[in-house]
């Protein structure tokens, strides 16, 4: 069944509406209960395959593992509302930890497995989890964060063995009968309670912990034409909302999900699709661009012939990417093919989708509204705008209550005004009801699907001897969305004269995780343009960097 996608416009109120649809789950439903009910129906069906290890998990095995782990977590004094920290890639028992946490009524706070200690510490200093699950590779970071923040957490590794360190498999050892009278803590929750805390840029400023409810996940339509025979895949770990979508969507539909801890390459992706006959893919815009720009289109078409639907989002995609992906993946009524989408962590779901049939496509847009979305565009004074007028995208929270950002009332009140979520994203609707996303309304930008916070890098670069002034910007790039670049003014002394781009690049590489490195380069200027109040004119500076980059490339 196709998701409902269309846009109607109320000219008097200047509001756009998606199609109306009844919710599938009641306000009392929680993810743990719904998933377990589904798993019990087909215990022998394969629900997960680990591509690298070959490990296979059935619905019945996942159900039993989750039952056992839930009881073990309760024995470890984990109570409903306590937070579970997950610092891991997509290994076999991540799904077990997620489901057991849902059953315990404990929000999961996932972080990216390749984050450095400082990045993890910054996030967990906010959420302060009560138990930590991590990979073998980042156990030492986990141990140090636990110690430095005085979390006093029990730590379990997920994907291997470390001598003397507790392993999740030890928790799953259970030789007794499972007591059918055991009362799962989630029975006392309802759909509006928090299932996940995922960090996002929010609307402005540093990362904020978005509170995502059970109902927000349960009543999404993210995978068109999904059946029990479908095979779903995405590279995203639980740190990204798309990774959680893939996990919950596959389980609630009893279809197989392929997982891997290996990083994305176009060759590996195409081989995975062909090997497992993958039918549904959730992909970020950066990876999609690499696939779209493959020279051998015929080979890509052949390897991806099993794909029914490929859903991509996370950043604006150039028209050329849309056009090439529509060539690579069939686009018939029984096979939706390529779909570009616009979603938000704050909604735990989509806002719009470049639809499932040709008449609902517009390659330069992020599509028409999905069901039950209500959107308006406002100017900088808060006044609603009409078609083809650029402004901030605001979304009415009409379905579920949103509890905002974790322990951040100021940011929540700034983002949520009169039940309208002010996204900070700039865009407009055209006369056909297609939403066009233009840019962030703040300084934050995405690079390789990571949120980049310029002020953090600027503070780091400013410590380099010889730096007088610095501004970090995102330079548009078809593969990475943006490449992180630094515009620098040298001091007028000997240190400034000796300062090189390599000095700055090396300093950044030595002091922050790789995803924040200056892949867009370092460029020196005599001065950086600012407003009368001293704020950087970032758009102007970005244009200066782009021009300088082109000049240097032309010389080389």
């Amino acid at each position: 069944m196709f998701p409902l996608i269309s846009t109607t416009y109320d000219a008097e109120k200047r509001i756009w509406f998606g199609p109306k649809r009844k919710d599938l789950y009641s306000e009392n439903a929680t993810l743990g209960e719904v998933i377990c009910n589904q798993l019990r129906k087909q215990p022998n069906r394969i629900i997960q395959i680990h591509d690298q290890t070959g490990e296979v998990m059935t619905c019945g095995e996942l159900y039993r593992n989750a039952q056992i782990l839930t009881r073990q977590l309760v024995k470890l004094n984990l109570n409903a509302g306590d937070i579970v920290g997950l610092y891991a890639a997509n290994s076999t028992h991540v799904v077990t930890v997620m489901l057991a946490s849902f059953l315990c009524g404990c929000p999961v706070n996932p972080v990216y497995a390749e984050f450095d200690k400082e990045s993890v510490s910054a996030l967990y200093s906010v959420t302060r989890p009560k138990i930590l699950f991590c990979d073998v590779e980042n156990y030492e970071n986990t141990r140090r964060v636990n110690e430095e923040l005085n979390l006093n957490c029990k730590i379990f590794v997920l994907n291997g063995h470390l001598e003397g360190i507790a392993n999740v498999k030890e928790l799953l050892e259970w030789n007794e009968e499972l007591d059918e009278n055991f009362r799962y803590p989630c029975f006392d929750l309802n759909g509006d309670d928090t299932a996940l805390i995922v960090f996002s840029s929010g609307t402005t400023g540093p990362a904020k912990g978005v509170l995502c409810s059970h109902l927000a996940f349960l009543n999404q339509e993210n995978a068109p034409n999904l059946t029990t025979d479908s095979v779903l895949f995405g590279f995203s770990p639980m740190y990204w909302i798309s990774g959680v979508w893939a996990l919950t969507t596959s389980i609630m539909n009893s279809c197989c999900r392929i997982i891997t801890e290996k990083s994305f390459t176009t060759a590996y992706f195409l081989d995975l699709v062909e090997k497992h006959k993958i039918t549904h893919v959730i992909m970020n815009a950066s990876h999609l661009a690499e696939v779209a720009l493959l020279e051998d289109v015929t080979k890509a078409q052949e390897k991806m012939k099993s794909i029914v639907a490929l859903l991509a989002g996370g950043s604006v995609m150039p028209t050329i990417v849309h056009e090439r992906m529509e060539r690579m993946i069939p686009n018939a009524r029984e096979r939706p093919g390529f779909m570009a989408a616009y979603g938000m962590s704050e909604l735990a779901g989509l806002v719009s989708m470049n639809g499932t049939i040709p008449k609902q496509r517009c390659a330069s847009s992020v599509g028409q509204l999905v069901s039950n979305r209500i959107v308006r565009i406002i100017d900088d004074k808060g006044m609603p705008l009409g078609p083809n007028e650029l402004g901030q995208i605001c979304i009415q929270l009409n379905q579920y209550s949103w509890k905002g950002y974790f322990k951040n009332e100021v940011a929540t009140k700034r983002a949520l005004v009169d039940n309208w979520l002010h996204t900070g994203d700039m865009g407009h609707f055209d006369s056909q009801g297609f939403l066009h996303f233009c840019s962030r309304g703040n300084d934050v930008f995405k690079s390789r699907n990571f949120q980049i916070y310029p002020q953090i890098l600027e503070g780091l670069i400013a410590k380099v001897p010889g730096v007088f002034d610095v501004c970090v910007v995102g330079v548009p790039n078809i593969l990475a969305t943006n490449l992180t670049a630094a515009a620098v003014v040298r001091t007028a002394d000997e240190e400034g004269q000796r300062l090189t781009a390599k000095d700055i690049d090396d300093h950044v590489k030595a002091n922050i995780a790789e995803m924040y490195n200056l892949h867009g380069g370092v460029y020196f200027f005599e001065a950086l343009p600012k407003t009368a109040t001293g704020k950087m004119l970032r758009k102007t500076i970005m244009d200066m960097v782009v021009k300088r980059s082109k000049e240097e490339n032309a010389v080389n």
Side-chain angles (χ1 to χ4, degrees):
M1 181 177 182
F2 291 117
L4 297 174
I5 305 167
S6 67
T7 306
T8 56
Y9 178 57
D10 185 324
E12 183 178 347
K13 295 180 179 179
R14 295 192 170 189
I15 293 177
W16 285 264
F17 296 86
K20 291 184 178 180
R21 176 182 64 85
K22 291 181 179 179
D23 285 342
L24 298 176
Y25 297 96
S26 76
E27 61 184 14
N28 294 318
T30 64
L31 279 165
E33 296 166 279
V34 170
I35 288 172
C36 285
N37 284 336
Q38 186 67 21
L39 292 174
R40 284 199 298 261
K41 295 176 183 177
Q42 302 187 72
N44 296 321
R45 179 172 287 278
I46 294 174
I47 197 74
Q48 180 177 278
I49 300 173
H50 192 307
D51 176 68
Q52 293 164 278
T53 66
E55 293 172 281
V56 173
M57 187 181 292
T58 65
C59 289
E61 289 168 338
L62 175 56
Y63 180 47
R64 178 175 172 79
N65 286 339
Q67 286 180 296
I68 293 170
L69 185 56
T70 301
R71 287 161 172 77
Q72 296 280 36
L73 294 180
V74 170
K75 283 185 177 181
L76 290 170
N77 296 317
L78 205 68
N79 299 307
D82 288 342
I83 293 169
V84 174
L86 179 64
Y87 182 17
N90 283 331
S91 56
T92 295
H93 285 295
V94 164
V95 65
T96 308
V97 171
M98 293 288 289
L99 180 50
S101 299
F102 296 152
L103 290 171
C104 284
C106 295
V108 183
N109 177 203
V111 299
Y112 188 52
E114 296 183 23
F115 274 163
D116 56 23
K117 181 183 75 69
E118 287 69 27
S119 298
V120 176
S121 181
L123 301 185
Y124 283 161
S125 67
V126 176
T127 56
R128 300 192 65 80
K130 294 295 181 67
I131 192 169
L132 289 167
F133 291 91
C134 69
D135 289 339
V136 167
E137 294 80 1
N138 52 36
Y139 169 76
E140 184 58 26
N141 282 347
T142 307
R143 184 194 64 78
R144 292 171 63 192
V145 168
N146 188 34
E147 182 179 291
E148 292 172 11
L149 295 179
N150 294 315
L151 297 177
N152 299 314
C153 286
K154 184 72 175 176
I155 301 173
F156 294 90
V157 295
L158 287 169
N159 67 340
H161 175 74
L162 286 175
E163 190 65 33
I165 306 303
N167 189 292
V168 69
K169 290 183 179 180
E170 297 170 15
L171 292 176
L172 297 177
E173 293 175 359
W174 190 278
N175 298 318
E176 309 168 28
E177 286 293 322
L178 292 170
D179 181 8
E180 293 298 326
N181 294 318
F182 179 84
R183 182 172 177 79
Y184 292 96
C186 67
F187 290 170
D188 297 321
L189 304 182
N190 60 55
D192 284 333
D193 284 311
T194 301
L196 190 81
I197 302 175
V198 57
F199 275 86
S200 163
S201 66
T203 56
T204 57
K208 306 169 185 68
V210 179
L211 300 174
C212 302
S213 72
H214 291 266
L215 272 184
F217 284 108
L218 287 171
N219 287 307
Q220 294 295 333
E221 288 181 303
N222 296 325
N225 278 21
L226 198 73
T227 70
T228 54
D229 294 323
S230 299
V231 181
L232 191 150
F233 173 73
F235 277 99
S236 296
M238 298 304 105
Y239 173 69
W240 281 290
I241 204 79
S242 56
V244 184
W245 288 344
L247 182 146
T248 56
T249 299
S250 65
I251 302 176
M252 288 191 293
N253 289 275
S254 294
C255 72
C256 182
R257 181 174 66 110
I258 307 301
I259 62 170
T260 181
E261 298 169 68
K262 193 173 178 179
S263 299
F264 169 86
T265 67
T266 53
Y268 182 48
F269 168 69
L270 294 177
D271 287 344
L272 269 177
V273 173
E274 184 178 44
K275 174 182 176 181
H276 296 284
K277 295 181 173 54
I278 292 168
T279 62
H280 288 71
V281 177
I282 300 177
M283 180 175 279
N284 69 53
S286 178
H287 292 167
L288 181 80
E290 294 189 44
V291 175
L293 296 179
L294 286 169
E295 291 185 7
D296 194 339
V297 174
T298 302
K299 179 180 178 181
Q301 285 176 325
E302 178 63 24
K303 284 185 170 287
M304 293 193 292
K305 64 183 180 182
S306 62
I307 293 179
V308 171
L310 190 157
L311 180 67
S315 302
V316 177
M317 281 169 276
T319 301
I320 187 175
V321 173
H322 280 257
E323 293 172 346
R324 287 181 67 90
M325 287 310 302
E326 287 182 16
R327 285 175 55 199
M328 287 184 176
I329 299 178
N331 179 27
R333 176 171 288 275
E334 68 277 6
R335 181 179 290 226
F338 167 64
M339 297 167 293
Y342 168 56
M344 296 195 70
S345 300
E346 285 83 351
L347 302 172
L350 301 180
V351 178
S352 63
M353 183 188 295
N354 237 324
T356 56
I357 55 178
K359 72 176 183 179
Q360 292 175 315
R361 293 181 183 272
C362 176
S364 61
S365 79
V366 289
Q368 297 192 354
L369 297 179
V370 300
S371 58
N372 299 329
R373 293 297 184 218
I374 300 175
V375 178
R376 67 180 180 183
I377 308 294
I378 63 171
D379 62 18
D380 55 6
K381 296 180 181 178
M383 299 302 294
L385 301 172
N388 299 307
E389 294 182 304
L390 178 65
Q392 182 180 182
I393 301 169
C394 297
I395 304 160
Q396 188 177 79
L397 299 176
N398 60 316
Q399 282 180 283
Y400 326 112
S401 62
W402 179 56
K403 295 183 179 179
Y405 301 111
F406 184 73
K407 293 185 178 180
N408 196 333
E409 291 185 13
V410 173
T412 301
K413 288 180 180 179
R414 187 185 300 124
L416 189 59
V417 181
D418 296 328
N419 210 38
W420 286 89
L421 176 65
H422 290 228
T423 67
D425 293 338
M426 306 298 288
H428 71 275
F429 282 94
D430 63 23
S431 57
Q432 302 301 311
F434 286 93
L435 178 61
H436 296 257
F437 175 91
C438 299
S439 66
R440 295 289 301 174
N442 54 49
D443 299 336
V444 178
F445 60 90
K446 277 192 173 183
S447 179
R448 303 182 193 275
N449 213 42
F450 288 94
Q451 298 283 5
I452 303 298
Y453 305 95
Q455 292 83 356
I456 294 175
L457 277 169
E458 287 161 3
L460 181 62
I461 295 169
K463 296 177 181 178
V464 178
V467 172
F468 174 75
D469 207 358
V470 57
C471 178
V472 171
V473 296
V475 177
N477 178 271
I478 196 169
L479 295 179
T481 303
N482 294 285
L483 293 175
T484 306
V488 176
V489 178
R490 294 182 173 102
T491 57
D493 54 17
E494 288 187 7
E495 283 189 326
Q497 295 305 309
R498 290 196 301 266
L499 182 66
T500 67
K502 187 176 186 301
D503 294 333
I504 293 172
D505 194 47
D506 288 348
H507 179 76
V508 170
K509 287 178 178 177
N511 288 280
I512 202 164
E514 192 276 338
M515 65 280 297
Y516 300 116
N517 287 180
L518 300 171
H519 298 291
V522 178
Y523 302 89
F524 294 102
F525 298 93
E526 293 298 319
L528 299 178
K530 300 179 182 179
T531 67
T533 57
K535 293 183 179 180
M536 295 284 185
L537 292 171
R538 293 185 184 273
K539 177 62 170 65
T540 303
I541 295 170
M542 184 193 73
D543 292 340
M544 291 165 54
V545 168
V546 170
K547 181 180 178 182
R548 179 70 61 83
S549 174
K550 289 180 179 178
E551 291 171 350
E552 292 183 4
N553 287 334
V555 171
N556 295 331

